[in-house]
Amino acid sequence: MRFTILGPVEAVAPGSDAPGLAPRHRAVLAYLLLHAGVVISTDRLIDAMWGPLPPDSARAQIQTTIAAIRRMLRASEADRMLATRPAGYVINPEPGQLDLDEFTSLIAKAPAVSDDPGDSADQIRAALALWRGEPLADITAHYVQSARARLNGQLLTAVERLAELELARGRHDDLIDELSAHAAANPLRERLCCQLMLALHRAGRQTDALDVARTLRATLAEQQGLDPGHAFSKLEQDILRDAPDLRPPVTAPTKPQGSNFLPYDVPDFTGREGELDGLIRLWSGNNGGVVTISAIDGMAGVGKTTLAVHAGHRLADQFPDGQLFVDLQAHTAGQAPLDAGAALEILLGQLGLPAQQIPASVADRAALWRSELSGRRVLAVLDNALGADQVRPLLPGASRALVLITSRRRLTDLDGAHALSLDVLPAADAVELFTAIVGERAAAEPLAVLDVLQLCGFLPLAVRIAAARLHHRPRWTVAYLADRLRDQRRRLSELATSERGVAAAFTLSYEQLTPDQQRMFRLLGLQPGRDVSPEAASALADLPLDEAETLLEDLLDAHVLSQHQLGRYTFHDLLREHALATAAAEEPPNARREALGRLFHHYLHTASTAIDHLYPQGKGRRPRIPAPDTPASSPPQDEAEAITWLDSERANLMATGQYAAEHDWLPHTSQLAATLHRYLLGHAHQADALVLSGLALRAARRSGDTAAEARTLIDLGQVHFWWHGAYEQAAEHYRHALDLSRGIGDQGAAAGALQALGAVSTRRREYDQAHDHCAQALVLFRELGDRGGEARCMTDLGIVHERQGRYEDAHEHHRQALHVHRETGSRIGETVVLNNIGLLYQRQGRYDEARRHHHQALELSRRFDFPGDEAESLNALAEAARSMGDLTQAATEHDSALTLAREFSYRPEQARAHDGLARVHRDLGRIDLAHDHARQALDLYTALAVPEADEIRTFLTGLPPAANVAKLSASS
């Protein structure tokens, strides 16, 4: 995880799918980073964000923001970095994680006095390279202006120190443009203007130097009514009389420049600024007697050679004894990898040694190579290396040399080498590269350009080839190219020219793998998900877990797989297509289907085991999945492991369900949907639940499985009921399920449908009908011995009794339901009942007891990640607080509930939160806010078609007129 504030505020973990942060969240994060290591109180954060007039919800917003930052850090496995202390919050980034820390460290390490001023200058330049524009550029908050001024002050101090060093070295010509830009942005910076004047004078531009002086004098007089200082006036007079003291220092003559053997540096090189800056800083930190080695690795086509050559040209003036290059041919079509002896012969020849002076043996050549470099300052690019053994004899000894090595494999055995793994281009850099090649057509179709780049997977080689094809076909549009690339059967062939192609590059990487690695590569191309765990790969390849994990690590080192999250492996999109095509060509159809069958069985069995831990009371109603004959690993052992596994594999499970539905694995689709339904519904993955249940419904109907159809209809109804508030649609599904289940004599499905219909009737306040449905369901559940179903019916009956004023009956039903849920380990059931008991106590005016039960429900919902129930608990707590007269607490809890319900698109609780906030703000005299929330509640209740719509409409009618009538009329 790396944080940047010297420019746009960003928190980036390379390759991570960590969630992004909103501008307000980044503003809080930036403030904590500016004070890294210091405990910052909530009050101080509020003052920093809003100054003396914070909003009423400031404290809640800070708490929400801290939670968002924690989620982002947790997704990147950096959650320990942000700690909560009794006095507030403190963030402690590690060395190298924060650009500001790195900047100040580099500046502090630059020696003030040195035998070679270039060492200090290089150190400061490396520090300045960390700045990416205006600090804190993309955020707004009360503190930003003063913090930005302080940071810019540090920048200018570093620039002035660098200018002093460079002027002492006689490098005034190199400074003029840089100082001119800074002086223009800071016209009152006297020292900066003096340095610019001196640089211009030494470059023979006396008139320009005096113009700078006149501009400073005029600006000082106009803006501050002051004259410049004594040092400035003296310099101005010295320039006028061309004083000898101002002449540049005499420098020793430079040695003749060595030859440059680097290949052509592409003029449209784009991006990689961070990687380039890292290479430059790496060289800048060389202590003068140690070889600097950087091993640049990455997948085929990612731009390793292009980066190394570009960096070599950028650094060429720092290596006067030569810039060398050798292609080691590890992945060159039709060529064997170059042996060390041949490579040494090429390198020694580039140093100028005649062929007759180069010895025959590899050992003697290596010794001569080290000897020749011992007194030279040389840059060498060793391109396209097979591995560490090929490169090791080519490394210099004690020398001021920089060696850049490129390889498709991670050179983990190369001791002392700095590793740089290249990923694909960021979107902005890919757009810039594509546009540089294509020209105006790209600018005219920006959305189509993004389509092309995504279809190229942002791989530089693919982007270059696609752009070149378009550039040489003037009648093609960018959209037409995108349409051609969307056809997966021809995409790799489209990304090829007569001399190079993406598929050809991938094939060379594949051919370097062992047979076992090749088989794993092919089979991984079959799996439908985006990534794979070692356990899933073990099932897919029918291998012991340790062997599968070893092969995955081998493929990772060969850069045909990548790893964006610990323990999970994935393909680049184009490599995935290449793996699938290779599997189709080399694996028999029955072998491919058997491999997928093993993978699907692994997913289904492990998911079933995980669900049993989370919802043990439902074991009897879910399909039983036998364990595989040779299980890849032990399944989850408890609730924590279960939720971790399900959250990690959810995307793969959804992809598996989609694939199974489209490729005639119909029973698997139905089983997977039935297995995952409670988890998806309870953990706010309602969109996934809707998709998977829809697939399962079509699969059940295609296969003629009426029982599966009835149960899936109930599951679909629950998604519509609980999350979307689409009560009529839910009731339609429930009624259809009831008819089907009665037709085939499925008492379990009939009981579930009746209970669900009772919930719909309760929501519509049709309590007699709700009681009849629940009572019928209760009889069926008891006949089946389904204690979980019985407990849910008892809960629903308790709600009906509470609504009808039969409080003792309601308490008794809830007590029985709570006992069953706790006995069977149903955390979600316990949470629901606790909230309902709290609501019952509210109806009785026993608010302290109500809040105690809602707090218990809130704790459970947060501990076991039930966001829907968390929102319900917060709204219920707020309602109790308002009844007790604590309006501030009520507003805070309703705000938190509204934020959560919006985040997870939980419409009923959004409406409830707006309703509560309308009443709280009315009681506080904030009539405009009351109108606003009431209208939003009315819109939601009307869409849900529930009786609360009439109640909030009456409430709205009784409100005093809002001050901002025009705004309210427009919104209505």
Side-chain angles (χ1 to χ4, degrees), residues 842 845 847 876-887 890 920 923:
Q842 285 198 55
Y847 300 115
L877 281 165
E879 290 158 358
R882 177 173 170 265
S883 297
M884 298 169 75
D886 191 346
L887 300 179
V920 169
D923 295 346

Side-chain angles (χ1 to χ4, degrees), residues 73 182 284 877:
L73 292 173
H182 285 294
S284 301
L877 281 165

Side-chain angles (χ1 to χ4, degrees), residues 428-453 463 466-468 470-471 473-474 476-479 481:
D429 292 346
V431 170
E432 186 178 348
L433 173 60
F434 188 86
T435 303
I437 299 171
V438 173
E440 295 180 357
R441 279 186 291 170
E445 298 179 79
L447 295 180
V449 168
L450 285 175
D451 284 345
V452 169
L453 296 176
V463 173
L470 188 62
H471 178 70
R473 289 161 176 79
W476 283 17
T477 63
V478 183
L481 175 61

Side-chain angles (χ1 to χ4, degrees), residues 862-936:
R862 285 175 171 169
R863 188 193 312 168
F864 296 101
D865 189 24
F866 304 140
D869 296 276
E870 183 180 351
E872 292 183 32
S873 301
L874 287 165
N875 271 328
L877 281 165
E879 290 158 358
R882 177 173 170 265
S883 297
M884 298 169 75
D886 191 346
L887 300 179
T888 301
Q889 184 68 24
T892 298
E893 287 166 342
H894 273 315
D895 271 331
S896 298
L898 181 58
T899 299
L900 195 64
R902 279 175 172 165
E903 182 179 353
F904 293 99
S905 301
Y906 193 3
R907 294 172 70 208
E909 290 305 309
Q910 287 182 54
R912 182 179 177 187
H914 280 302
D915 189 334
L917 285 166
R919 298 173 194 277
V920 169
H921 287 305
R922 188 271 313 274
D923 295 346
L924 288 168
R926 301 166 180 166
I927 302 304
D928 281 7
L929 286 173
H931 272 276
D932 187 35
H933 284 291
R935 287 183 179 278
Q936 292 186 69

Side-chain angles (χ1 to χ4, degrees), residues 259-265 304-310 312-313 322-329 332 338 342-351 369 378-385 394 402-406:
S259 300
N260 189 330
F261 291 92
L262 296 176
Y264 172 66
D265 185 16
K304 302 177 293 296
T305 300
T306 304
L307 173 65
V309 169
H310 186 72
H313 283 290
Q323 302 87 45
L324 316 180
F325 180 90
V326 61
D327 181 0
L328 299 177
Q329 299 180 357
T332 302
L338 204 65
L344 284 165
E345 183 177 10
I346 293 171
L347 291 168
L348 288 167
Q350 291 178 0
L351 284 178
W369 165 249
V378 166
L379 179 147
V381 176
L382 310 180
D383 187 44
N384 201 7
L394 312 181
L402 173 61
V403 180
L404 303 179
I405 307 166
T406 72

Side-chain angles (χ1 to χ4, degrees), residues 612-931:
D612 285 347
H613 284 299
L614 292 179
Y615 309 104
Q617 76 285 358
K619 287 184 181 180
R621 298 192 308 277
R622 288 189 292 272
R624 304 311 310 144
I625 312 299
D629 294 335
T630 54
S633 67
S634 60
Q637 300 299 306
D638 55 30
E639 289 173 301
E641 289 185 12
I643 194 64
T644 297
W645 187 88
L646 287 165
D647 285 347
S648 299
E649 295 288 2
R650 176 166 59 91
N652 288 330
L653 294 169
M654 289 298 299
T656 298
Q658 181 84 37
Y659 183 93
E662 294 172 355
H663 294 82
D664 290 329
W665 299 68
L666 301 182
H668 179 85
T669 306
S670 297
Q671 287 180 320
L672 189 64
T675 300
L676 293 177
H677 177 71
R678 290 296 302 279
Y679 157 73
L680 294 174
L681 195 65
H683 292 264
H685 305 306
Q686 62 270 28
D688 286 350
L690 198 61
V691 169
L692 194 56
S693 293
L695 292 170
L697 183 62
R698 289 191 289 275
R701 286 171 173 168
R702 283 173 59 193
S703 60
D705 189 340
T706 305
E709 181 181 355
R711 292 173 186 269
T712 305
L713 283 166
I714 295 172
D715 290 345
L716 271 171
Q718 287 180 329
V719 179
H720 291 303
F721 179 89
W722 289 108
W723 286 98
H724 300 155
Y727 302 119
E728 182 52 42
Q729 190 172 2
E732 184 179 339
H733 285 317
Y734 296 150
R735 287 191 290 267
H736 191 184
L738 182 61
D739 291 341
L740 290 175
S741 56
R742 282 173 169 168
I744 60 173
D746 187 339
Q747 280 189 289
L754 284 165
Q755 185 217 342
L757 284 167
V760 173
S761 297
T762 301
R763 191 71 185 87
R764 291 170 167 172
R765 302 184 184 178
E766 299 165 350
Y767 298 125
D768 291 338
Q769 189 174 3
H771 188 281
D772 290 344
H773 286 314
C774 291
Q776 293 179 59
L778 181 61
V779 171
L780 293 175
F781 280 130
R782 283 175 171 167
E783 289 177 358
L784 293 166
D786 185 341
R787 300 196 69 206
E790 180 182 347
R792 291 195 304 278
C793 279
M794 296 295 287
T795 300
D796 291 346
L797 286 168
I799 295 171
V800 172
H801 289 310
E802 174 249 310
R803 301 291 169 82
Q804 293 182 323
R806 296 192 292 273
Y807 297 145
E808 287 307 316
D809 289 341
H811 273 297
E812 182 58 29
H813 280 81
H814 286 323
R815 276 194 293 268
Q816 291 183 45
L818 186 62
H819 173 74
V820 173
H821 285 312
R822 284 174 170 168
E823 189 177 75
T824 58
S826 173
R827 304 296 189 181
I828 186 73
E830 183 179 355
T831 305
V832 170
V833 175
L834 285 169
N835 266 330
N836 281 312
I837 293 175
L839 293 173
L840 177 55
Y841 278 128
Q842 285 198 55
R843 286 285 291 266
Q844 295 179 285
R846 298 158 67 178
Y847 300 115
D848 287 333
E849 292 171 276
R851 282 185 63 86
R852 180 166 57 84
H853 281 80
H854 293 315
H855 270 299
Q856 292 177 30
L858 181 64
E859 181 183 347
L860 280 173
S861 63
R862 285 175 171 169
R863 188 193 312 168
F864 296 101
D865 189 24
F866 304 140
D869 296 276
E870 183 180 351
E872 292 183 32
S873 301
L874 287 165
N875 271 328
L877 281 165
E879 290 158 358
R882 177 173 170 265
S883 297
M884 298 169 75
D886 191 346
L887 300 179
T888 301
Q889 184 68 24
T892 298
E893 287 166 342
H894 273 315
D895 271 331
S896 298
L898 181 58
T899 299
L900 195 64
R902 279 175 172 165
E903 182 179 353
F904 293 99
S905 301
Y906 193 3
R907 294 172 70 208
E909 290 305 309
Q910 287 182 54
R912 182 179 177 187
H914 280 302
D915 189 334
L917 285 166
R919 298 173 194 277
V920 169
H921 287 305
R922 188 271 313 274
D923 295 346
L924 288 168
R926 301 166 180 166
I927 302 304
D928 281 7
L929 286 173
H931 272 276

Side-chain angles (χ1 to χ4, degrees), residues 143-165:
Y143 76 89
V144 168
Q145 185 175 358
S146 59
R148 186 176 290 147
R150 289 195 301 273
L151 291 172
N152 280 325
Q154 295 179 47
L155 169 68
L156 291 174
T157 300
V159 169
E160 291 166 349
R161 186 175 167 192
L162 174 65
E164 184 178 343
L165 290 166

